[in-house]
Amino acid sequence: MKKHIYLDYSATTPVDPKVLRAMLPYLRKEFANPSSIHQPGQRARAAVDESRKTIADFLNCFSDEIIFTGSASEANNTIIQKLIENKKKKGKLHIITSQIEHKAVLMPCEMLEKKNYAEVTYLPVYKDGVVKVSDVKKAIKGNTVLVSIIFANNEIGSVQPISEIGKVIEDINKKRKPSDKVYFHTDAVQGVNYLERDVNKLGVDFLVFSGHKIYAPKGIGAFYIKKGSPITPLIYGGGHEFGLRSGTENVAGIVALATAVKEIQDPRARVKNIRIRQLRDKLIKRILKDIPDSKLNGSLKNRLPNNANFSILGAEGEALVIA
Ligand SMILES: Cc1ncc(COP(=O)(O)O)c(C=O)c1O
């Protein structure tokens, strides 16, 4: 039988056995609703609170700056749509993003353009797949309210200079009135496993990530929102998540997400990541050597350790993946 190796971890990861063990009790014995005031409900609430604290510590922020969602798509949409809607006064507002964002960022931007709420600058990336900090700086205008740059691209794995962009925005904000602040959002879905995640060092107001890219299950996401940011909910209801996202909490998913985050911080993960990088480099070397007309997309330097992405002259990418 042919041996298959799954190489599509940017699309999704399996659930880590430790993550599964941690979440299972919350699907069966400890199934209570965290909003119930009886003891099983209180235990579920404690699990949510503890998980939130784990994630807040991971990102170096306060617990009430972490909002759980059903996905990273939902988190990105909440931030982009609601920031613009809430800041909208008379004229159009301005958003700066990149041409290599995930659709969960591009589509809400396009929707806001269609509604005439915002004009959007889609910054290019260069040969290395990276946005230039100077391009971001040049693009900022008086009506710019949001810069949204992906932390690391989901296809070519290029890592963007988030903390440098954060610094530029911070300097610009020092010269502006608080009401004219430029907010900075990063979709860190692909980056959170491997890159800097201290939101203060990154200089971001919003950071989004998703469970199923970090060995937790699908259907759980979260975002960091800096205190005081003008976001209102996309989903109204019982006022969960500090009033920012209604819906009974996915307790098992939340516990899973926090357990996955603990695993990222485990010192053994560093060793694992070095091994992943070595395997990636070996794969890149062999493909470039053995497959004629193959080319690595993006740079080797500014690249996620788990990403290798190629073009092969004359071969259609999708056909190769299906085969
Ligand atoms: C960079 C990036 N952003 C957002 C998403 C959407 O994440 P979710 O599946 O949690 O909605 C993905 C998933 O493919 C992604 O890779």
mmCIF file of all heavy atoms in Angstrom, residues 10 71-73 76 102 104 150 154 187 189-190 210 212-213, ligand 1:
data_model
loop_
_atom_site.group_PDB
_atom_site.id
_atom_site.type_symbol
_atom_site.label_atom_id
_atom_site.label_comp_id
_atom_site.label_asym_id
_atom_site.label_seq_id
_atom_site.Cartn_x
_atom_site.Cartn_y
_atom_site.Cartn_z
ATOM 1 N N SER A 10 -1.132 23.678 7.433
ATOM 2 C CA SER A 10 -1.591 25.076 7.374
ATOM 3 C C SER A 10 -3.105 25.113 7.194
ATOM 4 O O SER A 10 -3.758 26.090 7.560
ATOM 5 C CB SER A 10 -0.960 25.818 6.197
ATOM 6 O OG SER A 10 0.415 25.821 6.322
ATOM 7 N N SER A 71 -14.643 30.850 15.488
ATOM 8 C CA SER A 71 -13.598 30.671 14.471
ATOM 9 C C SER A 71 -12.791 31.957 14.363
ATOM 10 O O SER A 71 -13.221 33.015 14.851
ATOM 11 C CB SER A 71 -14.226 30.385 13.099
ATOM 12 O OG SER A 71 -14.976 31.509 12.667
ATOM 13 N N ALA A 72 -11.670 31.858 13.661
ATOM 14 C CA ALA A 72 -10.897 33.070 13.381
ATOM 15 C C ALA A 72 -11.643 33.940 12.373
ATOM 16 O O ALA A 72 -11.553 35.163 12.419
ATOM 17 C CB ALA A 72 -9.520 32.693 12.841
ATOM 18 N N SER A 73 -12.389 33.306 11.465
ATOM 19 C CA SER A 73 -13.159 34.096 10.498
ATOM 20 C C SER A 73 -14.135 35.014 11.228
ATOM 21 O O SER A 73 -14.267 36.195 10.886
ATOM 22 C CB SER A 73 -13.949 33.172 9.554
ATOM 23 O OG SER A 73 -13.067 32.363 8.825
ATOM 24 N N ASN A 76 -12.124 37.889 12.902
ATOM 25 C CA ASN A 76 -11.688 38.911 11.938
ATOM 26 C C ASN A 76 -12.868 39.775 11.493
ATOM 27 O O ASN A 76 -12.755 40.992 11.391
ATOM 28 C CB ASN A 76 -11.071 38.248 10.697
ATOM 29 C CG ASN A 76 -9.653 37.740 10.945
ATOM 30 O OD1 ASN A 76 -8.941 38.268 11.799
ATOM 31 N ND2 ASN A 76 -9.252 36.723 10.221
ATOM 32 N N HIS A 102 -5.918 36.471 4.256
ATOM 33 C CA HIS A 102 -6.917 35.410 4.130
ATOM 34 C C HIS A 102 -8.256 36.054 3.745
ATOM 35 O O HIS A 102 -8.490 37.226 4.042
ATOM 36 C CB HIS A 102 -7.040 34.691 5.473
ATOM 37 C CG HIS A 102 -7.877 33.453 5.442
ATOM 38 N ND1 HIS A 102 -9.239 33.483 5.631
ATOM 39 C CD2 HIS A 102 -7.540 32.165 5.237
ATOM 40 C CE1 HIS A 102 -9.704 32.246 5.555
ATOM 41 N NE2 HIS A 102 -8.702 31.422 5.309
ATOM 42 N N ALA A 104 -10.966 35.812 5.082
ATOM 43 C CA ALA A 104 -11.711 36.279 6.264
ATOM 44 C C ALA A 104 -11.362 37.721 6.619
ATOM 45 O O ALA A 104 -12.020 38.323 7.470
ATOM 46 C CB ALA A 104 -11.450 35.364 7.457
ATOM 47 N N ILE A 150 -1.713 40.433 7.976
ATOM 48 C CA ILE A 150 -1.603 39.030 8.402
ATOM 49 C C ILE A 150 -0.223 38.799 9.031
ATOM 50 O O ILE A 150 0.769 39.363 8.575
ATOM 51 C CB ILE A 150 -1.832 38.121 7.167
ATOM 52 C CG1 ILE A 150 -2.099 36.673 7.563
ATOM 53 C CG2 ILE A 150 -0.679 38.200 6.172
ATOM 54 C CD1 ILE A 150 -2.662 35.830 6.402
ATOM 55 N N ASN A 154 -0.893 32.121 4.907
ATOM 56 C CA ASN A 154 -1.333 30.723 5.012
ATOM 57 C C ASN A 154 -0.892 29.872 3.826
ATOM 58 O O ASN A 154 -0.961 28.651 3.891
ATOM 59 C CB ASN A 154 -2.851 30.654 5.176
ATOM 60 C CG ASN A 154 -3.586 31.619 4.287
ATOM 61 O OD1 ASN A 154 -3.363 32.822 4.346
ATOM 62 N ND2 ASN A 154 -4.452 31.104 3.443
ATOM 63 N N ASP A 187 -4.039 39.097 11.830
ATOM 64 C CA ASP A 187 -4.577 37.746 11.766
ATOM 65 C C ASP A 187 -3.387 36.819 12.004
ATOM 66 O O ASP A 187 -2.558 36.619 11.126
ATOM 67 C CB ASP A 187 -5.198 37.544 10.376
ATOM 68 C CG ASP A 187 -5.645 36.117 10.120
ATOM 69 O OD1 ASP A 187 -5.205 35.211 10.852
ATOM 70 O OD2 ASP A 187 -6.412 35.906 9.168
ATOM 71 N N VAL A 189 -3.397 33.628 12.814
ATOM 72 C CA VAL A 189 -3.808 32.223 12.775
ATOM 73 C C VAL A 189 -2.628 31.288 12.473
ATOM 74 O O VAL A 189 -2.470 30.251 13.107
ATOM 75 C CB VAL A 189 -4.936 32.041 11.732
ATOM 76 C CG1 VAL A 189 -5.141 30.580 11.368
ATOM 77 C CG2 VAL A 189 -6.228 32.628 12.265
ATOM 78 N N GLN A 190 -1.806 31.672 11.522
ATOM 79 C CA GLN A 190 -0.701 30.779 11.138
ATOM 80 C C GLN A 190 0.552 31.028 11.982
ATOM 81 O O GLN A 190 1.435 30.184 12.031
ATOM 82 C CB GLN A 190 -0.349 30.965 9.651
ATOM 83 C CG GLN A 190 -1.481 30.641 8.698
ATOM 84 C CD GLN A 190 -1.783 29.156 8.606
ATOM 85 O OE1 GLN A 190 -0.961 28.303 8.946
ATOM 86 N NE2 GLN A 190 -2.972 28.823 8.144
ATOM 87 N N SER A 210 -6.865 30.742 15.931
ATOM 88 C CA SER A 210 -7.883 29.708 15.749
ATOM 89 C C SER A 210 -7.393 28.372 16.307
ATOM 90 O O SER A 210 -6.216 28.028 16.135
ATOM 91 C CB SER A 210 -8.137 29.571 14.245
ATOM 92 O OG SER A 210 -9.098 28.586 14.001
ATOM 93 N N HIS A 212 -8.030 25.190 15.418
ATOM 94 C CA HIS A 212 -7.703 24.021 14.593
ATOM 95 C C HIS A 212 -6.385 24.124 13.843
ATOM 96 O O HIS A 212 -5.995 23.189 13.152
ATOM 97 C CB HIS A 212 -8.865 23.677 13.652
ATOM 98 C CG HIS A 212 -9.080 24.603 12.505
ATOM 99 N ND1 HIS A 212 -8.655 24.280 11.239
ATOM 100 C CD2 HIS A 212 -9.674 25.805 12.415
ATOM 101 C CE1 HIS A 212 -9.006 25.277 10.419
ATOM 102 N NE2 HIS A 212 -9.621 26.200 11.117
ATOM 103 N N LYS A 213 -5.683 25.259 14.017
ATOM 104 C CA LYS A 213 -4.339 25.358 13.417
ATOM 105 C C LYS A 213 -3.267 25.049 14.462
ATOM 106 O O LYS A 213 -2.084 25.022 14.154
ATOM 107 C CB LYS A 213 -4.090 26.758 12.864
ATOM 108 C CG LYS A 213 -5.196 27.315 12.005
ATOM 109 C CD LYS A 213 -5.235 26.697 10.629
ATOM 110 C CE LYS A 213 -6.353 27.358 9.818
ATOM 111 N NZ LYS A 213 -6.339 27.007 8.427
HETATM 112 C C1 LIG B 1 -4.510 33.119 7.940
HETATM 113 C C2 LIG B 1 -5.866 32.571 8.217
HETATM 114 N N1 LIG B 1 -6.812 33.388 8.682
HETATM 115 C C3 LIG B 1 -8.043 32.956 8.961
HETATM 116 C C4 LIG B 1 -8.391 31.642 8.772
HETATM 117 C C5 LIG B 1 -9.782 31.205 9.106
HETATM 118 O O1 LIG B 1 -9.750 30.456 10.278
HETATM 119 P P1 LIG B 1 -11.057 29.667 10.761
HETATM 120 O O2 LIG B 1 -11.064 28.397 10.002
HETATM 121 O O3 LIG B 1 -10.859 29.480 12.239
HETATM 122 O O4 LIG B 1 -12.206 30.540 10.463
HETATM 123 C C6 LIG B 1 -7.433 30.747 8.279
HETATM 124 C C7 LIG B 1 -7.791 29.344 8.000
HETATM 125 O O5 LIG B 1 -7.512 28.795 6.962
HETATM 126 C C8 LIG B 1 -6.138 31.219 7.997
HETATM 127 O O6 LIG B 1 -5.195 30.419 7.524
#
